[in-house]
Amino acid sequence: MALPGTGDLPRPVATADLSTANASQLRGPVSTSRSLPALTLVSHPTALRVGERLLLHGLPTGREVLLSRNAPDFTRPGEPLGLPLGDPFMSRKPLRFIPAGEGIRVVPDRAGHCTCAGEPLQGGREFGPEALARGVPLEFSGRVVVLLHRVPSSETEPPSPLGMVGGSASLQGVRRHIERVADLDVPVLIRGETGTGKELVARALHARGRRQGPFVSVNLGAISKELAAAELFGSVRGAFTGAQRDREGYFQAAEGGTLFLDEVGEASPEVQVMLLRVLETGELYPVGASRPVTTKVRLVTATDADLEARIAEGSFRAPLLHRLAGYELRLPPLRERREDIGPLFLHFAHQELAALGEAHHLAPSDPHAPPWLPAALAVRLLLHPWPGNIRQLRNVARQLVIGGRGQPCLEPDAPLPQEPPRPVTSSAAPSPSEHDGAARRRSTEVGGQELLAALRAHAWDVRRAAQHLGIARSSLYDLIERSPGLRLAGDLSEEEITRCFHACQGNLEEMVKRLEVSGRALRRRLRELGLGPKSP
């Protein structure tokens, strides 16, 4: 059962568009009672940076935080030094994170610089407490993805990884519980959905408890009910047909160590009675034996079933539940720890790439190369419900890596199992041609002359020019910013706009031709300056 993985290394986001709100009305300290806003890297051209984090310390004190490609630094939890995002395709102009009561208002420097679930944050948008609790994916220039979420404000030095990948608050809580109970002899009951990694936690309890005996894992759901008692407690010769010799059970095999019983809710009534006796007396009766055998085993059990409901219906014994749950651990589903999705996916993908001899894709030497994990695919991974949790994520990572074998990066539109409809965060949903994942070409394939010709042919309508070139609209903005001879309407000075307005007698079309900028963006600038354009 593979959860947080071992080794080295929320539902769709709901938002409210407040682009017309007064920014001064939104300012105010974000609550610091229990959490602190943070950004966690999910996709980056240097894939090995996934999981690095930036804590937005200024927001709880009422100060806005600026983020650009050059500052501030992202660091791995527990490490003092880090690096800025540094992607050359990102804007040098900062994205603003502004306190907004219990929420955060995110304001990009221009349309297309930052998107949320494929939708440009035009004019800015506020994300409330519920959205922040689930996690908000923010995508920059179709290459970098960060998750805006919250972390405990009291978080200090993180505990030992214990063989688990991830730094979410819920996973850190699981680690702390393991540290507290690992060296005790009390039985532990692990609860969690299928695929959340219950066996991995049981192994961590065994290793941290420094047990001298072995770790033995048994899935009760995979043992026939007729043989379960003999398998667990052993049997003596002649106990049943075919029992030609004495046989040890799993309890005796785990002597001095840990016995992990998964799917304990599937135990038969006979096995439940025998388990209860072992927990109460430390003795067991092998099937067919007349004398008890003393056992010293640390019992760890797990279930994804509602044991209380089974007690109510009479299929599970309440005294056994009380004995099993000497200490109870709950494992969070993946949808409650979305900041761990990137590191987990990278961990599993690294294993598969290493087996294929293609691990070099995760550390490209060219900073202009497209990211191995495309931003559009990273956002879809974040928004996926993951009903199969970590096990499902591991299988998806294997499928995507093998499906992209021999390619420098994964396919942005690769299918995910049981994927929900693409999220729509406002009534003005982007058309397929505007979505980064729908681009037919890479922006690096578009030359300066081709870009200029497309803009002029479409009267500087950025959306139509992007469609003509077969690239995402956000990518077209990046091309404009990197082209020394081209400008955005936001780059024009008030004096230049006013002079051109009077020279063209307020004719917007003529102004667009002279200034060579987007007509829609220029119209907004004219309104800001109190100048009313005249339609041709």
Side-chain angles (χ1 to χ4, degrees):
M1 185 176 297
L3 156 88
T6 57
D8 42 356
L9 291 185
R11 291 165 291 176
V13 175
T15 61
D17 190 348
L18 301 180
S19 57
T20 59
N22 187 328
S24 64
Q25 296 175 340
L26 297 172
R27 290 182 182 273
V30 177
S31 173
T32 60
S33 59
R34 285 173 293 187
S35 62
L36 182 70
L39 296 171
T40 295
L41 260 176
V42 180
S43 177
H44 190 274
T46 303
L48 295 177
R49 293 194 58 185
V50 166
E52 294 180 6
R53 179 180 292 174
L54 171 65
L55 299 178
L56 305 179
H57 287 290
L59 295 180
T61 61
R63 294 182 291 111
E64 67 179 55
V65 176
L66 304 181
L67 174 68
S68 72
R69 75 188 189 194
N70 296 321
D73 289 350
F74 281 68
T75 60
R76 202 162 291 281
E79 296 183 4
L81 301 178
L83 294 169
L85 293 176
D87 184 66
F89 289 81
M90 278 187 63
S91 175
R92 292 185 295 271
K93 299 177 181 178
L95 182 77
R96 299 164 61 204
F97 294 86
I98 304 172
E102 292 295 317
I104 297 173
R105 183 171 171 80
V106 182
V107 182
D109 69 286
R110 55 176 172 75
H113 171 208
C114 178
T115 64
C116 175
E119 182 180 357
L121 299 185
Q122 295 179 347
R125 185 173 302 136
E126 181 181 343
F127 299 98
E130 291 185 2
L132 295 175
R134 290 190 296 267
V136 178
L138 301 175
E139 179 181 342
F140 302 104
S141 305
R143 292 170 56 85
V144 175
V145 176
V146 298
L147 186 73
L148 174 62
H149 62 104
R150 291 193 179 278
V151 298
S153 57
S154 58
E155 186 175 276
T156 56
E157 188 70 19
S160 169
L162 297 177
M164 305 177 190
V165 174
S168 64
S170 55
L171 185 59
Q172 298 287 43
V174 169
R175 290 180 176 124
R176 291 189 177 93
H177 283 293
I178 292 173
E179 296 275 9
R180 291 169 187 155
V181 74
D183 61 341
L184 304 179
D185 287 327
V186 297
V188 176
L189 174 62
I190 305 171
R191 298 206 193 206
E193 296 178 7
T194 180
T196 49
K198 296 183 281 291
E199 181 171 340
L200 185 62
V201 171
R203 290 184 180 275
L205 285 165
H206 174 75
R208 200 64 176 175
R210 295 179 174 83
R211 306 269 163 182
Q212 297 301 314
F215 176 88
V216 177
S217 175
V218 181
N219 188 328
L220 289 180
I223 303 177
S224 104
K225 295 186 182 298
E226 294 76 15
L227 298 177
E231 292 287 336
L232 287 174
F233 306 105
S235 59
V236 298
R237 181 180 178 182
F240 51 85
T241 302
Q244 299 179 355
R245 58 183 176 83
D246 291 353
R247 182 181 175 187
E248 287 188 346
Y250 289 119
F251 267 93
Q252 291 161 299
E255 183 66 27
T258 301
L259 177 61
F260 172 59
L261 300 181
D262 197 5
E263 297 191 35
V264 71
E266 304 302 317
S268 66
E270 178 189 10
V271 168
Q272 290 182 42
V273 171
M274 299 176 78
L275 281 175
L276 185 57
R277 177 177 179 81
V278 172
L279 289 168
E280 289 179 340
T281 66
E283 296 179 341
L284 60 86
Y285 278 88
V287 175
S290 57
R291 280 188 270 183
V293 175
T294 301
T295 182
K296 186 173 180 57
V297 170
R298 169 72 173 279
L299 186 63
V300 179
T301 54
T303 185
D304 60 359
D306 185 344
L307 295 183
E308 288 77 10
R310 297 197 176 190
I311 289 172
E313 66 186 22
S315 62
F316 201 84
R317 298 174 62 89
L320 177 58
L321 173 57
H322 301 153
R323 286 288 186 178
L324 294 175
Y327 196 84
E328 188 168 320
L329 285 173
R330 175 187 174 272
L331 299 191
L334 190 55
R335 61 183 175 275
E336 292 181 8
R337 41 182 291 224
R338 294 187 184 275
E339 59 266 45
D340 290 338
I341 289 176
L344 278 166
F345 181 83
L346 176 65
H347 171 77
F348 295 130
H350 183 270
Q351 292 178 333
E352 299 300 326
L353 286 169
L356 296 174
E358 297 182 357
H360 58 277
H361 290 323
L362 301 180
S365 57
D366 180 9
H368 295 85
W372 176 79
L373 173 60
L377 178 56
V379 171
R380 289 166 54 209
L381 291 173
L382 288 174
L383 298 180
H384 194 67
W386 298 112
N389 292 292
I390 314 300
R391 183 189 293 114
Q392 183 186 14
L393 177 62
R394 179 193 60 194
N395 293 337
V396 167
R398 177 183 295 121
Q399 179 176 323
L400 291 176
V401 169
I402 295 175
R405 185 177 184 182
Q407 302 300 316
C409 56
L410 297 179
E411 175 59 45
D413 290 324
L416 300 180
Q418 302 174 323
E419 187 169 19
R422 297 291 174 88
V424 176
T425 54
S426 81
S427 58
S431 66
S433 60
E434 293 175 33
H435 194 286
D436 282 338
R440 299 186 302 275
R441 301 172 63 190
R442 294 176 181 170
S443 59
T444 52
E445 299 173 3
V446 179
Q449 291 301 317
E450 185 183 8
L451 171 65
L452 181 59
L455 288 167
R456 286 175 174 170
H458 295 283
W460 293 84
D461 185 314
V462 174
R463 181 181 63 83
R464 291 168 58 198
Q467 289 177 342
H468 173 81
L469 294 170
I471 63 174
R473 189 167 63 174
S474 59
S475 298
L476 190 139
Y477 280 114
D478 293 326
L479 289 174
I480 293 175
E481 184 176 347
R482 296 200 306 273
S483 300
L486 299 180
R487 299 178 296 175
L488 296 170
D491 298 326
L492 302 176
S493 67
E494 179 179 344
E495 180 184 358
E496 184 177 6
I497 294 175
T498 303
R499 187 169 59 248
C500 184
F501 177 81
H502 292 301
C504 297
Q505 298 180 342
N507 187 300
L508 182 63
E509 185 175 287
E510 289 299 320
M511 293 183 68
V512 168
K513 290 179 181 179
R514 285 199 185 193
L515 297 173
E516 295 198 321
V517 294
S518 164
R520 185 179 301 177
L522 180 58
R523 186 186 293 273
R524 285 199 299 267
R525 289 296 309 276
L526 290 171
R527 288 201 199 99
E528 292 171 1
L529 298 174
L531 301 173
K534 298 178 182 178
S535 300

